[in-house]
Amino acid sequence: MYASRNGNLCTKDCLCLFVCPTGATDTEDGQIDKSRCLDGCRLCVDACPSHAIYLVFEKYPEPAPKDPEVTTALMNLCEAKFGEEDTSLSIAEYTENSIEARIARALQRSTRILAEDCAREGGYMTPDCKPTKELLAQFPDSQAARKLLELLR
Amino acid sequence: MKKEKTLSPVFSNLAKAATKQQRYEEAGLFSQLAEQMYVEVPKKGNLDSLKDSMIKDIDIHYPEIRKAAQAVGDRGALRAVTWGEKVTKIHKSLIARYASKGDAIMDGNEIFICEACGFIAIAPSPPNRCPICKVDSSRFSKVK
Ligand code: SF4
Ligand code: SF4
């Protein structure tokens, strides 16, 4: 287990720096150095006045499998949303009107968020869950996919 | 076997999840995959065809997910439907508003987007709270 900091909530330069026994919380990039974290001793978590620090497991238990019908329905929508994203992108690229292009870019980014939500609820919730690994295994030619399978083992 | 073109959002979502777990190497690799899967279809779409697709989402896809999710009590999926359906309706009305009012809808306004749920606000400044998912204004970013 290790501690992780939500930079948006952190008010900077306070308690965690003084309670951490290893100095893991004091880093130049604002994130906690997980390699120095003592298996999530949680002193920083309890001390933080802003609830900005949370603990993360190295390995998560497998989440309950998703109902196949829910997954299918969500992934159908994910595909439709991806089509909309693509259309938005092409509008942004081809239109000569800068306002229309801006609206199209907003639609593209927003639609991506909706598609990602479908993917998450469709069972691809965490990096190391079974559906993710099975998906990665379908791309034996991709170096990134092979490396990920190695890291997530 | 999943259709490849749906996979870019799957991988970009996993990149976000990996970042939250401080797994930066994994996050980078998932982002790479998300880019690689983005096979751009060279076509000229327009806002009307986009709106038609959104109407289909609202009439067919969201009710389908809701039905399946209710049958098994999948509250996470129901949450995604609740937010996504509202945001899609906002997309649709934005396109309609732009069709009738044109560039004037931007007078004195900026476009802000909620990074948590996708809500789009056209206003001089971001809302204090997202009306859909209730996060505060710090999760909004400006679209340029
Ligand atoms: S959990 Fe303990 S060791 Fe880890 S960063 Fe926090 S205080 Fe330091
Ligand atoms: S205690 Fe919390 S708010 Fe203070 S510096 Fe640490 S993480 Fe930030």
Side-chain angles (χ1 to χ4, degrees), chain A residues 2 32 58 84 110 116, chain B residues 12 16 21-23 57 91:
Chain A
Y2 52 89
I32 292 170
E58 315 275 349
E84 288 163 26
S110 171
E116 286 175 346
Chain B
S12 63
K16 285 184 181 170
Q21 297 183 346
Q22 251 185 285
R23 297 175 163 197
D57 296 345
H91 288 176

Side-chain angles (χ1 to χ4, degrees), chain A residues 3 19-22 24-25 32 36-38 40-45 55:
Chain A
V19 300
C20 177
T22 69
T25 55
I32 292 170
R36 286 199 282 161
C37 181
L38 294 180
C41 80
R42 73 168 298 132
L43 285 177
C44 61
V45 180
L55 296 174

Side-chain angles (χ1 to χ4, degrees), chain A residues 93-113:
Chain A
E93 264 172 31
Y94 292 117
T95 179
E96 272 155 24
N97 179 323
S98 66
I99 288 182
E100 189 181 17
R102 212 159 138 205
I103 291 172
R105 276 196 297 279
L107 288 169
Q108 186 228 328
R109 281 174 53 187
S110 171
T111 304
R112 167 61 64 120
I113 292 169

Side-chain angles (χ1 to χ4, degrees), chain A residues 61-139:
Chain A
E62 191 56 34
K66 280 278 176 173
D67 176 71
E69 272 183 43
V70 174
T71 294
T72 306
L74 280 161
M75 293 317 283
N76 284 342
L77 178 63
C78 185
E79 189 179 343
K81 288 295 175 200
F82 190 62
E84 288 163 26
E85 191 189 334
D86 222 25
T87 307
S88 308
L89 195 69
S90 75
I91 296 168
E93 264 172 31
Y94 292 117
T95 179
E96 272 155 24
N97 179 323
S98 66
I99 288 182
E100 189 181 17
R102 212 159 138 205
I103 291 172
R105 276 196 297 279
L107 288 169
Q108 186 228 328
R109 281 174 53 187
S110 171
T111 304
R112 167 61 64 120
I113 292 169
L114 298 185
E116 286 175 346
D117 206 7
C118 294
R120 181 168 23 202
E121 293 302 333
Y124 304 100
M125 175 82 84
T126 53
D128 57 356
C129 70
K130 204 165 146 230
T132 303
K133 287 183 188 159
E134 284 172 358
L135 180 65
L136 289 169
Q138 291 178 18
F139 298 96

Side-chain angles (χ1 to χ4, degrees), chain A residues 5 9-17 47-50 52-53:
Chain A
R5 181 189 284 122
L9 295 178
C10 170
T11 54
K12 312 287 184 283
D13 192 26
C14 69
L15 295 175
C16 67
L17 307 189
C48 175
S50 320
I53 310 183

